[in-house]
Every structure is written in C-alpha cells, then in structure tokens.
Amino acid sequence: MIPTLEWLPEGVNFLDQTKLPLEETYVLATDYKQVATVIRDMIVRGAPAIGVSGAMGVAIGIDRSTAATIADLTAEVALICDLLASTRPTAVNLFWGINRIRELYNTLAAQPGASIAAIKQAVVAEARRMYDEDIAACKQMGAHGAHLLPKQGTVLTHCNAGALATCGYGTALGVIRAAIEQGHNIDVLADETRPFLQGARLTAWEMMKDNIPTTVICDNMAASLMHAGKLQAIVVGADRIAANGDVANKIGTYGVAILAKEHGIPFYVACPWSTIDLATPNGDAIPIEQRAAIEVTHHGGKQLTPNGVGIENPAFDVTPARYVTAIITERGVLRQPYGEALQGLEAATASAR
Amino acid sequence: MIPTLEWLPEGVNFLDQTKLPLEETYVLATDYKQVATVIRDMIVRGAPAIGVSGAMGVAIGIDRSTAATIADLTAEVALICDLLASTRPTAVNLFWGINRIRELYNTLAAQPGASIAAIKQAVVAEARRMYDEDIAACKQMGAHGAHLLPKQGTVLTHCNAGALATCGYGTALGVIRAAIEQGHNIDVLADETRPFLQGARLTAWEMMKDNIPTTVICDNMAASLMHAGKLQAIVVGADRIAANGDVANKIGTYGVAILAKEHGIPFYVACPWSTIDLATPNGDAIPIEQRAAIEVTHHGGKQLTPNGVGIENPAFDVTPARYVTAIITERGVLRQPYGEALQGLEAATASAR
C-alpha cells in the first residue's frame, strides 16, 4: 500500500511527492493552512488525491478550531474553504472535496442544538470516509476498465494517475493494475511528463514497487514508438471532464490523444465521478493553471535556459471529447456521445439512490 | 557571428555545446581522434556542422600525419575515416563530409608524382571551403524559404537547426533569420527538446544573441498552443532525407508534424543538399541512433528516475514525407511528390555543372 496521504491523530500525513523517487519522506500537516501549502506546492497532487486532501483540509480546520460558538465556527469555515479553494484551479475534485465537507457542516450547523464537538467528529469521519470511497472507486474503475486493455501488450500512460494521485490503487494505473491482476501481460510505457516529471519520478516509482515492467520515455518519443507498433493502448487520468466529455488533464495529454488517433490506438481516460463537472459545458470553460517558469527553466537547482528567455508553463491542456475512445469511471464505462452518456449515468445513479 | 567551429593553425576549435547556455567555452581538437570525440560527445552537433566537422577531422588527420609515403598515408586515411564515420550514424552529412575529403585524397594520391605536402594543403583547403559553402548554403536556404513564413506571427522550431547546428546562420533558424531581415515580424517558439535540451539551451541562446523574441516550451505543450492558434508555421532541420522525402530529424519531430497536420499548420524542413540521401529509398532504411539512458535518467548530475526502470532513448525519428509541406534547400524549395522533386533538382544541378 502506497501511503499517499493518511489521516492521523496528529494531522494529515502526506508522502512528499516532490522528493520521489530518491527520497521517501513525509510532511505532516497539523492545520488547514499547512494542508493548503501541501496542495499548492504539489507535495500531494493528482485530482482525486487533491479532492480528498481538500476535504481533509476543511475537516482539520474545523477539528482544530477554537471557536466557541457555531456562528464563529461558520465564519472560520468560510475562510478555511476559501484558502483551500485558492490553491489550484483546474482539478474540479478539489472543489468537490471542499464542498462536500462544507455542505455537511452547513447541514449540521443549521440543526437546532448543534454541538461543535459532534460537528467536529462528523466532519472528520466524513473526510475519512471519502478516503475509503476514493480507493473503492479506483478498484471499481479497474473492474470496469480492465477488459479494455490488451491481454498482452504495452500500455502508455502520461503523468501519474496512480496510487500517488489518489488515496491508493490509482485511476489509469488502477485499470492497469486490475488488468494485470486478471492475468493480462502488460508492460507500462511512462511518458516522463515535463516539466514536473510525474511519469519519470512517480509512475515509474510506484510501478516498480509493484514489480510491473515499466519503461520511461521522453514525451516526444511516444509518436515514433506508436509508428513502430510498440504500444497497443493509452490510458490516462483526468483533472476535470466537462459536460460534453472534453477532458482537462496534465499538459501533453492532448498531443498524445492526437497521436493515438493518427495511429489508430485506443485512448482511454479513467477517473472517479468526482472529476466530472456537469456544470462546465465544455473544455473552453475549464480554467487552466499556469505555473511558475522555474519549473521549466531549472531542474535540480541547475539552470537549463538562458537568462531572460520567455517561458510558457500551462499545467494542463484540454482534449476534445472526439479523441477519447472511452471514459472509465466507478459507475461504468462511457462511450461517445459523452454529453448524453454522462447525463444518463448521472440520472441513473441519482434515481437509484 | 556564432563561432560553432573554426579551423585554426593549432587545430579545429569547437564551441562546447554541452556547456551552453551558461558557459561559453571551447574545445580545441588537435588531431582527428579528438575531433571524433567532439562529435560523439555532442560538443558539436547538428547535421551540417557534423558534416563539416567530419571533413575537418579527415583533413586534420591527413595534415598531422607523419607518414613518409603515399601508401602509408592511404592506409592511415582509411583508419581516420573509419573512426570518424563510427561516431554517429543518423546524419548523412557526416559521411558526405568524410567522403568528400577522402575522394579528393584518393584523386590526388592516384596522380603520378603525388606530393604529400601538396595533398595536405589541398585537403585542408577543401575542408575550409566546405565551411564557407555551408554558410553560403544556409544563406541561400534563407533566401529561398523566407517568404514561406508569416509576415507577422509565431514560428515553432524543434531542436536546434541554427548557427550552432551549422557553420553559421542556420538552416531552419536561417530561414527565420532571413524572414526577419526581410521585415517579417516573427516570434520564435522553441521546443525544449528532451532529453538533450537543444531547444532550451541552444536555440534559445542563439536567438537571444540576435535579439529575436523567443519563448521556450516543454515539448508536450506544443499541441495546446496550436489548438489555441498561437503559432502560424513550423520549421525544423533534418539529419537525413531519403529519396522519397521521408525526413529523419531530432526525436519528437514526427510528433510535431502530426500535430501540425491536425491543426492545419504548415510544416517546413530546411536543410542543405548534403542532407539528402538519394541512396536511401525511404525512412525505414535510415539508421536511428540510440543514445545512452543517462541522458534521460539524469540531468545536471541529478537522478530523475528510480533505479532499474527501463529507458528508451532514440535520438531521432522519421517523419513520413506526406506530413512535410515543403523542403527548403540551397537549390530551391521542393514540394510533394518529393521523390520526383528531389530527382529532378539533382539532375538539373548535375546537368548545369
């Protein structure tokens, strides 16, 4: 079990993903401000993990509060949620995670005779439940999606949509793990994923922990390997999926999707339902985080570029729905047209509740 | 003038491209073995520069030889050429450069009363002439190709096909320089070009020396910038062009060409005629250099990947001719079908001689 994040009595403990693969160290966040810093600095990253981290951030903020009245606590909750929501803009799971605890808080706080102690207990329990649900959702994605992967072959993934991007097991890498557990003979090809190198550092690290044969390539090598017939499927995660099926994911995903289409290779997206944002009509409406130039200009303290050159560093891009062969969720596998498929599965799940 | 390489009385002086952009240092090669090392270690790189370096390597080998007879010198020339030809396999210019000096040597050595002193003088003069011809060819490419670039806009390039890849001015960057000299208002977008970072380190450095506005991006960002309409043309160099127009160039070029097609952006290749290899029927027959894993796994002495993970590091890929909008050479601009166009221009030039 890869300990991406964990609720402990003393705080939320995060595996420091900026230090992998060479160091396995932890950052203990003992208040919500520290959780916000952990998310902003990408000590934890990956949309589902960020979602649960946001929930745990609100929960720890409420739990550690010294407010003496519900009114004071409510005011504090607003500040807590605002800070956590300001950390990263693209992954909708963050807002989903924050809002789920906030809504529970609002419901409990509005009840006659609401007790601060009982509220604290309830929000912490809810955040911890979301952790368990996230792992269960990953396992379900695996169960639904494993048959899509080849019985024998190489599967390319971009960035890290694994145990390290979730509370465990992974979304895209969860589907790969499930296929392997079902007897598929799969090699993983990991795009290194510049500039933050989540593929080279994180996907490679967690695949090797599980003894899954893995090869790292530079992002710009995928096309020639596709041309040579060296990979049979692609599976990636997502940071937000709009109502029409457009997929925001790590920068470079869109390019991989175009290459997949050009070579007739299936391109799958795996994510929990909390990544789906039916309130956002299409990819153009998804905010794309721009990160600091230093992620591109430097590595390991060494400067790569000449002083003063311009730099672009968008952290995500949008893959139009037409490039996506299927979307794998814990509720099932969706196919085009995604607008109808997403609405249908949302309605079916709501009516089944 | 960027001093990529220079024939000096004491040897061939190379700007050390592995140290750019932070250090501008030189490596003086005083014998042919040192020239071979400089090429193999990519202290000099870029197909046209490698071609002239190979020629200068043979010339310095002959010039510094202590052979007392033509027979001894001829045996030595074979060794010299073999070593230099073994340094890098993909750029055909290397073999063209070596062979041009070798053929001149063979002609002179076969003459009755051949003098070693006269041969030495002649081969050095020929290698230095190739240097001048290379710069002139770049200027001609610029003259032929400049009108293809937008009057106003952003041009993407991959790797470094600039002054640093030639004896000066550049192929792809030469076309950009020529367009700017003709009054075009062009910004350059430079793919950083993993793993060796020729774009981030070299293209950015030489463009900034010329005050040409330049932005560096990670290779995987090009697709989203194309989608956003932020670039109007692409121009790259080449390491070898087969008889059917297939283009071997720096790894990642093929992917850029596919993205260009998908977004309707013209994709130009600029190279001297010495890059065209009519003896190689198509891209499948071009040998692709595989370089050491450490270029991918480490940067600046820092390890990026976990121990033991697999690595692929092909240094080049092949872009099928159908993706290429035009090939810009010093003899003119070629359009599809390239097989006929290349044969036609070769025949026309031969008959004009």
Side-chain angles (χ1 to χ4, degrees), chain A residues 326-352:
Chain A
I327 297 173
I328 303 161
T329 76
E330 74 274 33
R331 297 187 186 177
V333 173
L334 294 87
R335 299 274 185 175
Q336 301 191 30
Y338 292 111
E340 291 170 31
L342 290 166
Q343 289 287 355
L345 203 45
E346 174 72 1
T349 311
S351 71

Side-chain angles (χ1 to χ4, degrees), chain B residues 129-195:
Chain B
R129 190 175 305 119
M130 290 167 72
Y131 176 94
D132 293 335
E133 287 175 6
D134 183 70
I135 296 173
C138 289
K139 294 276 175 83
Q140 273 300 106
M141 277 172 243
H144 289 312
H147 74 279
L148 298 170
L149 299 188
K151 280 281 174 199
Q152 166 102 29
T154 298
V155 176
L156 175 71
T157 190
H158 188 73
C159 194
N160 171 269
L164 290 168
T166 62
C167 298
Y169 204 70
T171 55
L173 299 190
V175 176
I176 291 174
R177 284 189 168 97
I180 290 171
E181 287 163 15
Q182 292 178 18
H184 295 227
N185 191 356
I186 289 176
D187 285 12
V188 171
L189 199 58
D191 274 350
E192 65 173 5
T193 317
R194 283 281 293 153

Side-chain angles (χ1 to χ4, degrees), chain A residues 34-198:
Chain A
Q34 289 175 12
V35 173
T37 301
V38 159
I39 296 171
R40 181 176 288 120
D41 293 350
M42 296 177 67
I43 288 164
V44 70
R45 29 62 54 200
I50 288 175
V52 175
S53 298
M56 287 187 173
V58 183
I60 203 172
I62 294 171
D63 189 54
R64 301 306 200 256
S65 168
T66 56
T69 66
I70 294 282
D72 285 354
L73 184 52
T74 300
E76 233 178 273
V77 167
L79 291 176
I80 292 166
C81 293
D82 283 354
L83 179 71
L84 287 160
S86 73
T87 53
R88 298 195 68 196
T90 303
V92 75
N93 312 61
L94 176 64
F95 312 104
W96 165 86
I98 292 168
N99 287 338
R100 187 157 142 186
I101 301 299
R102 193 208 309 243
E103 282 167 19
L104 175 63
Y105 172 81
N106 287 343
T107 303
L108 297 175
Q111 283 170 358
S115 124
I116 288 179
I119 288 174
K120 287 182 172 182
Q121 202 170 25
V123 295
V124 170
E126 181 74 358
R128 299 187 69 175
R129 190 176 305 118
M130 290 165 72
Y131 176 94
D132 294 335
E133 287 174 6
D134 183 68
I135 297 173
C138 288
K139 294 278 175 85
Q140 273 299 109
M141 277 172 243
H144 290 310
H147 74 279
L148 298 171
L149 298 188
K151 280 283 175 196
Q152 166 102 30
T154 297
V155 176
L156 174 72
T157 190
H158 187 74
C159 194
N160 173 269
L164 290 169
T166 62
C167 298
Y169 204 68
T171 55
L173 300 188
V175 175
I176 290 174
R177 285 189 167 96
I180 291 171
E181 287 163 14
Q182 292 178 20
H184 295 225
N185 191 356
I186 289 176
D187 284 12
V188 171
L189 198 59
D191 275 349
E192 65 173 5
T193 317
R194 284 279 296 152
F196 208 69
L197 297 167
Q198 291 94 337

Side-chain angles (χ1 to χ4, degrees), chain B residues 237-242 245-249 269 286 317-321 324 327:
Chain B
D239 288 83
R240 190 185 302 214
I241 295 184
D246 289 353
V247 175
N249 191 43
V269 175
I286 298 174
D317 60 23
V318 173
T319 300
V324 179
I327 298 173

